[in-house]
Amino acid sequence: MSDCFAPDGLEAFAAAYPGEAARVVHRLHDHPLFTLDALADLAERLPATHVEHSFGNLAVDQDPAGVARAAMPVGEIVRTIDANGCWMVLKKVDADARYAALIDASLAELAPVTAPRTGPYRRREAFIFLSSPNSVTPFHMDPEHNILLQIAGTKTMRVYPAGDLSIVPAEVHEAFHHGGRHRNMKHDAAFDARAVDHVLTPGEAVYVPVKAPHWVQNGATRSVSFSITWRSDASDGEARLHRVNRRMRALGVTPGVPGENAAADAAKVVAHRAVKRATATARRMLGRGRERTAY
Ligand SMILES: [Fe+2]
């Protein structure tokens, strides 16, 4: 019995997973956890680090330095989202037990498709996006497998193919996994010839592959979306490959193009895992934590 997704709502996803974007049909748009009051309460309960917001009148190619924030309590931003011009994301909402149960139920329904192809779930996280009419989420990519479920309002997600180095160069992938950069990326209208628009209304969703670039245009009413994400052996390997390539480039060696030599890519991933395991073992033997000092 499927509660989160429609009985035939995962057919396109099953054909596309894990590498292609696909339409999904869900049943969560009337769920009581997604009323504005429930979401305002959640925003007030979550740690401040889990709540990010700004004004939503951004450019597709937005300079992060030019983003302004409303001077309002987070609960009030949610309750007045119809007219306050804001965009908000509630991060790691699985910190709340009721939302965690919903995420677990959704992922259990997806597992018959995902497990045979990408193995068990790693690091499962969920996000809720709220936006005022006509807000834009600028061009970016994410490191997880992601299903974005539209709860209220409409939005158009323009999705570009993952792994197209003419859209996102290898050096940008490498910097992405090194951290320290704002997520917004350089957009060029010439990329649009390779994009597919997914128009989402309540009850519809889209699967976005790992690091498939995308940007979002919200419709004429407030929008609420629920994003369920997970990592996998495949996404972990892809990240390790770019970390190794960044090290090589720093040493003056030009790494091979990702995807051109599968055996070389796989060897780098294996080597990276081995080095990280050895480093962790050495730290344990020396009585040191991973990155934090223990007091
Ligand atoms: Fe995203």
Side-chain angles (χ1 to χ4, degrees):
M1 168 70 185
S2 168
D3 290 325
C4 303
F5 297 99
D8 55 359
L10 295 174
E11 282 180 3
F13 173 68
Y17 186 79
E20 305 292 330
R23 183 172 182 269
V24 171
V25 186
H26 71 88
R27 293 169 150 177
L28 297 183
H29 46 299
D30 293 324
H31 197 287
L33 285 177
F34 295 115
T35 64
L36 271 196
D37 277 341
L39 295 173
D41 290 346
L42 177 65
E44 288 164 350
R45 284 200 307 275
L46 285 173
T49 51
H50 291 199
V51 182
E52 178 182 342
H53 64 89
S54 72
F55 286 114
N57 55 341
L58 306 180
V60 175
D61 209 3
Q62 179 67 41
D63 174 2
V67 176
R69 287 160 54 99
M72 265 193 284
V74 292
E76 189 182 343
I77 292 178
V78 174
R79 291 187 174 92
T80 60
I81 195 76
D82 278 324
N84 61 24
C86 291
W87 170 93
M88 175 182 280
V89 55
L90 306 177
K91 304 176 184 179
K92 301 180 182 177
V93 299
D94 44 308
D96 183 285
R98 283 168 290 177
Y99 291 86
L102 197 56
I103 295 157
D104 287 345
S106 300
L107 288 169
E109 290 179 29
L110 300 173
V113 174
T114 61
R117 301 182 201 177
T118 54
Y121 294 121
R122 291 166 170 253
R123 189 148 31 129
R124 317 183 315 179
E125 288 180 293
F127 305 81
I128 297 170
F129 297 94
L130 299 105
S131 44
S132 289
N134 304 313
S135 298
V136 167
T137 303
F139 187 57
H140 70 284
M141 60 187 182
D142 302 302
E144 313 99 343
H145 304 272
N146 174 23
I147 294 185
L148 185 83
L149 299 88
Q150 192 64 8
I151 302 295
T154 64
K155 62 174 41 170
T156 301
M157 181 178 268
R158 181 164 290 183
V159 184
Y160 302 75
D164 185 330
L165 298 178
S166 69
I167 296 176
V168 182
E171 291 89 337
V172 176
H173 282 275
E174 292 160 23
F176 178 87
H177 291 290
H178 185 59
R181 284 168 60 112
H182 193 279
R183 65 176 170 266
N184 293 357
M185 300 190 302
K186 183 82 187 134
H187 179 267
D188 187 319
F191 301 161
D192 290 345
R194 279 158 280 166
V196 175
D197 283 350
H198 295 267
V199 180
L200 304 178
T201 61
E204 294 182 295
V206 60
Y207 165 68
V208 183
V210 173
K211 287 170 70 189
H214 53 278
W215 66 273
V216 184
Q217 171 70 63
N218 285 286
T221 57
R222 75 161 177 264
S223 170
V224 178
S225 312
F226 180 41
S227 167
I228 301 171
T229 77
W230 63 97
R231 314 271 181 129
S232 67
D233 287 348
S235 68
D236 174 75
E238 198 261 0
R240 289 176 190 276
L241 173 63
H242 289 295
R243 290 191 178 108
V244 172
N245 285 350
R246 184 179 176 279
R247 292 265 177 90
M248 291 174 66
R249 212 181 290 279
L251 293 169
V253 179
T254 302
V257 177
E260 268 192 6
N261 185 334
D265 289 351
K268 288 176 183 173
V269 172
V270 169
H272 189 270
R273 283 203 178 107
V275 168
K276 288 294 175 187
R277 261 199 304 271
T279 305
T281 302
R283 284 180 176 276
R284 273 198 302 277
M285 290 172 69
L286 292 168
R288 293 167 59 186
R290 277 188 64 212
E291 282 154 7
R292 282 181 296 147
T293 305
Y295 293 97

